[in-house]
PDB file of all heavy atoms in Angstrom:
ATOM      1  N   PHE X 765      13.337   7.431   6.315  1.00 96.00           N
ATOM      2  CA  PHE X 765      13.725   8.432   5.326  1.00 96.00           C
ATOM      3  C   PHE X 765      14.250   9.678   6.034  1.00 96.00           C
ATOM      4  O   PHE X 765      13.718  10.095   7.071  1.00 96.00           O
ATOM      5  CB  PHE X 765      12.532   8.827   4.452  1.00 96.00           C
ATOM      6  CG  PHE X 765      12.164   7.811   3.406  1.00 96.00           C
ATOM      7  CD1 PHE X 765      11.139   6.908   3.626  1.00 96.00           C
ATOM      8  CD2 PHE X 765      12.846   7.760   2.200  1.00 96.00           C
ATOM      9  CE1 PHE X 765      10.790   5.978   2.670  1.00 96.00           C
ATOM     10  CE2 PHE X 765      12.511   6.836   1.228  1.00 96.00           C
ATOM     11  CZ  PHE X 765      11.480   5.936   1.466  1.00 96.00           C
ATOM     12  N   ASN X 766      15.300  10.269   5.456  1.00 95.00           N
ATOM     13  CA  ASN X 766      15.806  11.542   5.955  1.00 95.00           C
ATOM     14  C   ASN X 766      14.818  12.636   5.577  1.00 95.00           C
ATOM     15  O   ASN X 766      14.457  12.768   4.414  1.00 95.00           O
ATOM     16  CB  ASN X 766      17.181  11.829   5.344  1.00 95.00           C
ATOM     17  CG  ASN X 766      17.881  12.996   6.017  1.00 95.00           C
ATOM     18  OD1 ASN X 766      17.266  14.007   6.344  1.00 95.00           O
ATOM     19  ND2 ASN X 766      19.183  12.860   6.219  1.00 95.00           N
ATOM     20  N   PRO X 767      14.362  13.447   6.526  1.00 94.00           N
ATOM     21  CA  PRO X 767      13.371  14.476   6.209  1.00 94.00           C
ATOM     22  C   PRO X 767      13.923  15.633   5.386  1.00 94.00           C
ATOM     23  O   PRO X 767      13.146  16.399   4.815  1.00 94.00           O
ATOM     24  CB  PRO X 767      12.898  14.959   7.585  1.00 94.00           C
ATOM     25  CG  PRO X 767      14.053  14.676   8.489  1.00 94.00           C
ATOM     26  CD  PRO X 767      14.690  13.421   7.970  1.00 94.00           C
ATOM     27  N   ALA X 768      15.243  15.766   5.334  1.00 92.00           N
ATOM     28  CA  ALA X 768      15.830  16.917   4.653  1.00 92.00           C
ATOM     29  C   ALA X 768      16.420  16.584   3.301  1.00 92.00           C
ATOM     30  O   ALA X 768      16.471  17.446   2.413  1.00 92.00           O
ATOM     31  CB  ALA X 768      16.911  17.544   5.543  1.00 92.00           C
ATOM     32  N   THR X 769      16.910  15.367   3.112  1.00 92.00           N
ATOM     33  CA  THR X 769      17.574  14.999   1.864  1.00 92.00           C
ATOM     34  C   THR X 769      17.037  13.654   1.379  1.00 92.00           C
ATOM     35  O   THR X 769      16.529  12.860   2.176  1.00 92.00           O
ATOM     36  CB  THR X 769      19.097  14.874   2.076  1.00 92.00           C
ATOM     37  OG1 THR X 769      19.360  13.743   2.930  1.00 92.00           O
ATOM     38  CG2 THR X 769      19.672  16.120   2.710  1.00 92.00           C
ATOM     39  N   PRO X 770      17.160  13.369   0.093  1.00 94.00           N
ATOM     40  CA  PRO X 770      16.671  12.082  -0.432  1.00 94.00           C
ATOM     41  C   PRO X 770      17.584  10.925  -0.026  1.00 94.00           C
ATOM     42  O   PRO X 770      18.397  10.441  -0.805  1.00 94.00           O
ATOM     43  CB  PRO X 770      16.671  12.299  -1.958  1.00 94.00           C
ATOM     44  CG  PRO X 770      16.840  13.750  -2.179  1.00 94.00           C
ATOM     45  CD  PRO X 770      17.596  14.260  -1.005  1.00 94.00           C
ATOM     46  N   GLU X 771      17.466  10.483   1.200  1.00 95.00           N
ATOM     47  CA  GLU X 771      18.264   9.388   1.728  1.00 95.00           C
ATOM     48  C   GLU X 771      17.366   8.413   2.480  1.00 95.00           C
ATOM     49  O   GLU X 771      16.361   8.810   3.077  1.00 95.00           O
ATOM     50  CB  GLU X 771      19.357   9.906   2.667  1.00 95.00           C
ATOM     51  CG  GLU X 771      20.439  10.707   1.969  1.00 95.00           C
ATOM     52  CD  GLU X 771      21.502  11.214   2.924  1.00 95.00           C
ATOM     53  OE1 GLU X 771      21.242  11.206   4.153  1.00 95.00           O
ATOM     54  OE2 GLU X 771      22.584  11.621   2.457  1.00 95.00           O
ATOM     55  N   LEU X 772      17.771   7.143   2.451  1.00 96.00           N
ATOM     56  CA  LEU X 772      17.057   6.087   3.157  1.00 96.00           C
ATOM     57  C   LEU X 772      18.048   5.326   4.016  1.00 96.00           C
ATOM     58  O   LEU X 772      19.107   4.910   3.546  1.00 96.00           O
ATOM     59  CB  LEU X 772      16.379   5.140   2.159  1.00 96.00           C
ATOM     60  CG  LEU X 772      15.709   3.886   2.747  1.00 96.00           C
ATOM     61  CD1 LEU X 772      14.530   4.269   3.613  1.00 96.00           C
ATOM     62  CD2 LEU X 772      15.279   2.939   1.628  1.00 96.00           C
ATOM     63  N   LEU X 773      17.699   5.155   5.281  1.00 96.00           N
ATOM     64  CA  LEU X 773      18.541   4.419   6.222  1.00 96.00           C
ATOM     65  C   LEU X 773      17.830   3.133   6.612  1.00 96.00           C
ATOM     66  O   LEU X 773      16.630   3.135   6.912  1.00 96.00           O
ATOM     67  CB  LEU X 773      18.826   5.264   7.468  1.00 96.00           C
ATOM     68  CG  LEU X 773      19.765   4.655   8.514  1.00 96.00           C
ATOM     69  CD1 LEU X 773      21.158   4.465   7.940  1.00 96.00           C
ATOM     70  CD2 LEU X 773      19.804   5.524   9.767  1.00 96.00           C
ATOM     71  N   THR X 774      18.587   2.024   6.606  1.00 96.00           N
ATOM     72  CA  THR X 774      18.028   0.728   6.977  1.00 96.00           C
ATOM     73  C   THR X 774      18.823   0.138   8.130  1.00 96.00           C
ATOM     74  O   THR X 774      20.027   0.347   8.248  1.00 96.00           O
ATOM     75  CB  THR X 774      18.051  -0.248   5.789  1.00 96.00           C
ATOM     76  OG1 THR X 774      19.414  -0.462   5.374  1.00 96.00           O
ATOM     77  CG2 THR X 774      17.251   0.295   4.616  1.00 96.00           C
ATOM     78  N   GLY X 775      18.147  -0.610   8.990  1.00 96.00           N
ATOM     79  CA  GLY X 775      18.775  -1.308  10.106  1.00 96.00           C
ATOM     80  C   GLY X 775      18.385  -2.772  10.083  1.00 96.00           C
ATOM     81  O   GLY X 775      17.228  -3.114   9.793  1.00 96.00           O
ATOM     82  N   THR X 776      19.328  -3.651  10.378  1.00 96.00           N
ATOM     83  CA  THR X 776      19.111  -5.085  10.224  1.00 96.00           C
ATOM     84  C   THR X 776      19.058  -5.806  11.564  1.00 96.00           C
ATOM     85  O   THR X 776      19.292  -5.220  12.625  1.00 96.00           O
ATOM     86  CB  THR X 776      20.221  -5.711   9.359  1.00 96.00           C
ATOM     87  OG1 THR X 776      21.466  -5.600  10.052  1.00 96.00           O
ATOM     88  CG2 THR X 776      20.322  -5.013   8.016  1.00 96.00           C
ATOM     89  N   LEU X 777      18.786  -7.088  11.467  1.00 95.00           N
ATOM     90  CA  LEU X 777      18.668  -7.937  12.649  1.00 95.00           C
ATOM     91  C   LEU X 777      20.002  -8.134  13.356  1.00 95.00           C
ATOM     92  O   LEU X 777      20.039  -8.390  14.562  1.00 95.00           O
ATOM     93  CB  LEU X 777      18.073  -9.290  12.240  1.00 95.00           C
ATOM     94  CG  LEU X 777      17.689 -10.275  13.335  1.00 95.00           C
ATOM     95  CD1 LEU X 777      16.581  -9.708  14.211  1.00 95.00           C
ATOM     96  CD2 LEU X 777      17.244 -11.598  12.724  1.00 95.00           C
ATOM     97  N   ASP X 778      21.108  -8.020  12.630  1.00 93.00           N
ATOM     98  CA  ASP X 778      22.428  -8.197  13.241  1.00 93.00           C
ATOM     99  C   ASP X 778      23.140  -6.869  13.491  1.00 93.00           C
ATOM    100  O   ASP X 778      24.357  -6.839  13.688  1.00 93.00           O
ATOM    101  CB  ASP X 778      23.300  -9.107  12.377  1.00 93.00           C
ATOM    102  CG  ASP X 778      23.521  -8.555  10.984  1.00 93.00           C
ATOM    103  OD1 ASP X 778      22.883  -7.540  10.633  1.00 93.00           O
ATOM    104  OD2 ASP X 778      24.333  -9.134  10.236  1.00 93.00           O
ATOM    105  N   GLY X 779      22.412  -5.760  13.470  1.00 93.00           N
ATOM    106  CA  GLY X 779      22.986  -4.474  13.860  1.00 93.00           C
ATOM    107  C   GLY X 779      23.661  -3.696  12.766  1.00 93.00           C
ATOM    108  O   GLY X 779      24.404  -2.748  13.064  1.00 93.00           O
ATOM    109  N   GLU X 780      23.433  -4.022  11.505  1.00 95.00           N
ATOM    110  CA  GLU X 780      24.066  -3.294  10.406  1.00 95.00           C
ATOM    111  C   GLU X 780      23.199  -2.115   9.985  1.00 95.00           C
ATOM    112  O   GLU X 780      21.976  -2.232   9.890  1.00 95.00           O
ATOM    113  CB  GLU X 780      24.292  -4.221   9.212  1.00 95.00           C
ATOM    114  CG  GLU X 780      25.032  -3.547   8.062  1.00 95.00           C
ATOM    115  CD  GLU X 780      25.121  -4.430   6.826  1.00 95.00           C
ATOM    116  OE1 GLU X 780      24.062  -4.779   6.271  1.00 95.00           O
ATOM    117  OE2 GLU X 780      26.240  -4.780   6.417  1.00 95.00           O
ATOM    118  N   LEU X 781      23.845  -0.982   9.716  1.00 95.00           N
ATOM    119  CA  LEU X 781      23.175   0.207   9.198  1.00 95.00           C
ATOM    120  C   LEU X 781      23.660   0.463   7.780  1.00 95.00           C
ATOM    121  O   LEU X 781      24.869   0.431   7.512  1.00 95.00           O
ATOM    122  CB  LEU X 781      23.458   1.430  10.072  1.00 95.00           C
ATOM    123  CG  LEU X 781      22.931   1.406  11.509  1.00 95.00           C
ATOM    124  CD1 LEU X 781      23.397   2.644  12.258  1.00 95.00           C
ATOM    125  CD2 LEU X 781      21.413   1.329  11.523  1.00 95.00           C
ATOM    126  N   ARG X 782      22.721   0.740   6.868  1.00 95.00           N
ATOM    127  CA  ARG X 782      23.072   1.067   5.481  1.00 95.00           C
ATOM    128  C   ARG X 782      22.351   2.340   5.074  1.00 95.00           C
ATOM    129  O   ARG X 782      21.148   2.489   5.308  1.00 95.00           O
ATOM    130  CB  ARG X 782      22.685  -0.074   4.533  1.00 95.00           C
ATOM    131  CG  ARG X 782      23.701  -1.206   4.493  1.00 95.00           C
ATOM    132  CD  ARG X 782      23.320  -2.272   3.476  1.00 95.00           C
ATOM    133  NE  ARG X 782      24.346  -3.296   3.391  1.00 95.00           N
ATOM    134  CZ  ARG X 782      25.342  -3.301   2.526  1.00 95.00           C
ATOM    135  NH1 ARG X 782      25.438  -2.316   1.639  1.00 95.00           N
ATOM    136  NH2 ARG X 782      26.233  -4.278   2.522  1.00 95.00           N
ATOM    137  N   LEU X 783      23.107   3.225   4.433  1.00 96.00           N
ATOM    138  CA  LEU X 783      22.570   4.499   3.978  1.00 96.00           C
ATOM    139  C   LEU X 783      22.528   4.503   2.463  1.00 96.00           C
ATOM    140  O   LEU X 783      23.534   4.221   1.804  1.00 96.00           O
ATOM    141  CB  LEU X 783      23.435   5.657   4.488  1.00 96.00           C
ATOM    142  CG  LEU X 783      22.939   7.071   4.159  1.00 96.00           C
ATOM    143  CD1 LEU X 783      21.616   7.356   4.860  1.00 96.00           C
ATOM    144  CD2 LEU X 783      23.982   8.112   4.555  1.00 96.00           C
ATOM    145  N   PHE X 784      21.347   4.802   1.911  1.00 96.00           N
ATOM    146  CA  PHE X 784      21.148   4.864   0.462  1.00 96.00           C
ATOM    147  C   PHE X 784      20.806   6.285   0.062  1.00 96.00           C
ATOM    148  O   PHE X 784      20.059   6.981   0.760  1.00 96.00           O
ATOM    149  CB  PHE X 784      20.020   3.923   0.028  1.00 96.00           C
ATOM    150  CG  PHE X 784      20.294   2.474   0.296  1.00 96.00           C
ATOM    151  CD1 PHE X 784      19.988   1.901   1.525  1.00 96.00           C
ATOM    152  CD2 PHE X 784      20.862   1.672  -0.681  1.00 96.00           C
ATOM    153  CE1 PHE X 784      20.245   0.564   1.781  1.00 96.00           C
ATOM    154  CE2 PHE X 784      21.117   0.329  -0.438  1.00 96.00           C
ATOM    155  CZ  PHE X 784      20.811  -0.220   0.784  1.00 96.00           C
ATOM    156  N   GLN X 785      21.377   6.702  -1.086  1.00 93.00           N
ATOM    157  CA  GLN X 785      21.111   8.033  -1.614  1.00 93.00           C
ATOM    158  C   GLN X 785      20.472   7.931  -2.985  1.00 93.00           C
ATOM    159  O   GLN X 785      20.479   6.882  -3.617  1.00 93.00           O
ATOM    160  CB  GLN X 785      22.411   8.847  -1.702  1.00 93.00           C
ATOM    161  CG  GLN X 785      23.026   9.171  -0.353  1.00 93.00           C
ATOM    162  CD  GLN X 785      24.262  10.046  -0.484  1.00 93.00           C
ATOM    163  OE1 GLN X 785      24.893  10.095  -1.533  1.00 93.00           O
ATOM    164  NE2 GLN X 785      24.621  10.731   0.590  1.00 93.00           N
TER     165      GLN X 785
END
Side-chain angles (χ1 to χ4, degrees):
F765 284 98
N766 191 319
T769 67
E771 292 180 344
L772 174 66
L773 183 64
T774 61
T776 65
L777 188 63
D778 60 352
E780 184 186 62
L781 295 175
R782 278 184 176 266
L783 184 65
F784 297 87
Q785 294 183 338

